[in-house]
Amino acid sequence: RKEVEQDPGPFNVPEGATVAFNCTYSNSASQSFFWYRQDCRKEPKLLMSVYSSGNEDGRFTAQLNRASQYISLLIRDSKLSDSATYLCVVNAGSSNTGKLIFGQGTTLQVKP
Amino acid sequence: EAGVVQSPRYKIIEKKQPVAFWCNPISGHNTLYWYRQNLGQGPELLIRYENEEAVDDSQLPKDRFSAERLKGVDSTLKIQPAELGDSAVYLCASSLAWVNNEQFFGPGTRLTVL
């Protein structure tokens, strides 16, 4: 089983749609969770951290369910510029070391 | 502020040849990471440096890969000899510290081994 699993997609949605991505992780001791965004042939960039209480940044909402070891990202009112690959990222263990485990990414294509 | 700088951006070599990648992290970032990203996959950590010390190299294939960060600033990753399966994007990242700090990635070096 992979340490971080995501549905690779692609998710093809029209502009204005709401889309949700899910991610599961295997290490119950993990303490830090993130979503990174990676544009085609570019480097990954931090989109948002994921907190236990859930957090929102504009049109983006991230949620964490520790009991189910599950992370989600919700994008509302999708824009063409949201088209990218979204990487679910989990730290490797309980000590919050810098070692991050990346999922394979979920590709989103927003169409006009 | 300049981001993480990597060179070259692209490299094409024949198998069994050596290759080296260079990375200059963001100024003041003590922690430097080398990742490998295969097509359709997320980045995988190869090695992490705290200043000049390699503190996690457990996933570095040491028979052919080596890395150094002699003065605790820029870093070089080398492969010798390269194999077909080494074709990937090699990403360098840096962060202020290793605990819960955002990692900033460079543009990567796209390696093709023929």
Side-chain angles (χ1 to χ4, degrees), chain A residues 34-36 44-49 98 100, chain B residues 4 26 29 31 33 35 93-105:
Chain A
F34 312 90
W35 284 100
Y36 273 68
K45 293 183 180 179
L46 179 66
L47 177 66
M48 58 197 303
S49 300
L100 299 180
Chain B
V4 177
I26 292 172
H29 282 195
T31 308
Y33 313 79
Y35 288 87
S94 69
S95 63
L96 275 172
W98 56 271
V99 180
N100 284 342
N101 270 271
E102 178 181 355
Q103 294 185 20
F104 294 85
F105 285 82

Side-chain angles (χ1 to χ4, degrees), chain A residues 91-111:
Chain A
N91 84 301
S94 59
S95 61
N96 283 333
T97 66
K99 183 170 183 176
L100 299 180
I101 308 297
F102 286 76
Q104 71 174 106
T106 297
T107 299
L108 172 66
Q109 184 68 46
V110 181
K111 299 187 181 298

Side-chain angles (χ1 to χ4, degrees), chain B residues 64-111:
Chain B
R64 297 183 301 106
F65 286 64
S66 64
E68 60 183 16
R69 192 184 185 199
L70 293 176
K71 296 182 180 179
V73 181
D74 57 345
S75 176
T76 303
L77 177 69
K78 298 178 181 178
I79 308 175
Q80 183 170 10
E83 297 179 352
L84 295 176
D86 295 331
S87 296
V89 176
Y90 290 83
L91 293 161
C92 178
S94 69
S95 63
L96 275 172
W98 56 271
V99 180
N100 284 342
N101 270 271
E102 178 181 355
Q103 294 185 20
F104 294 85
F105 285 82
T109 297
R110 186 173 298 272
L111 173 67

Side-chain angles (χ1 to χ4, degrees), chain A residues 1-9 11 21-27 30 33-35 68-73 86-90 101-106, chain B residues 40-42:
Chain A
R1 180 185 173 189
K2 291 182 180 178
E3 292 183 78
V4 179
E5 294 203 58
Q6 296 181 250
D7 179 348
F11 284 59
F21 306 138
N22 303 320
C23 166
T24 58
Y25 61 96
S26 62
N27 188 345
S30 294
F33 311 90
F34 312 90
W35 284 100
S68 301
Q69 295 177 210
Y70 172 97
I71 305 161
S72 66
L73 177 68
Y86 291 84
L87 298 161
C88 176
V89 187
V90 175
I101 308 297
F102 286 76
Q104 71 174 106
T106 297
Chain B
Q41 301 298 315

Side-chain angles (χ1 to χ4, degrees), chain B residues 20-65:
Chain B
F21 314 124
W22 176 80
C23 172
N24 193 31
I26 292 172
S27 178
H29 282 195
N30 296 325
T31 308
L32 183 146
Y33 313 79
W34 282 103
Y35 288 87
R36 176 170 58 191
Q37 186 172 24
N38 292 307
L39 188 64
Q41 301 298 315
E44 295 178 314
L45 181 69
L46 292 173
I47 189 168
R48 172 167 65 95
Y49 282 93
E50 298 296 333
N51 298 302
E52 65 274 10
E53 182 182 359
V55 295
D56 183 357
D57 62 356
S58 57
Q59 298 194 188
L60 189 73
K62 298 181 184 62
D63 57 336
R64 297 183 301 106
F65 286 64

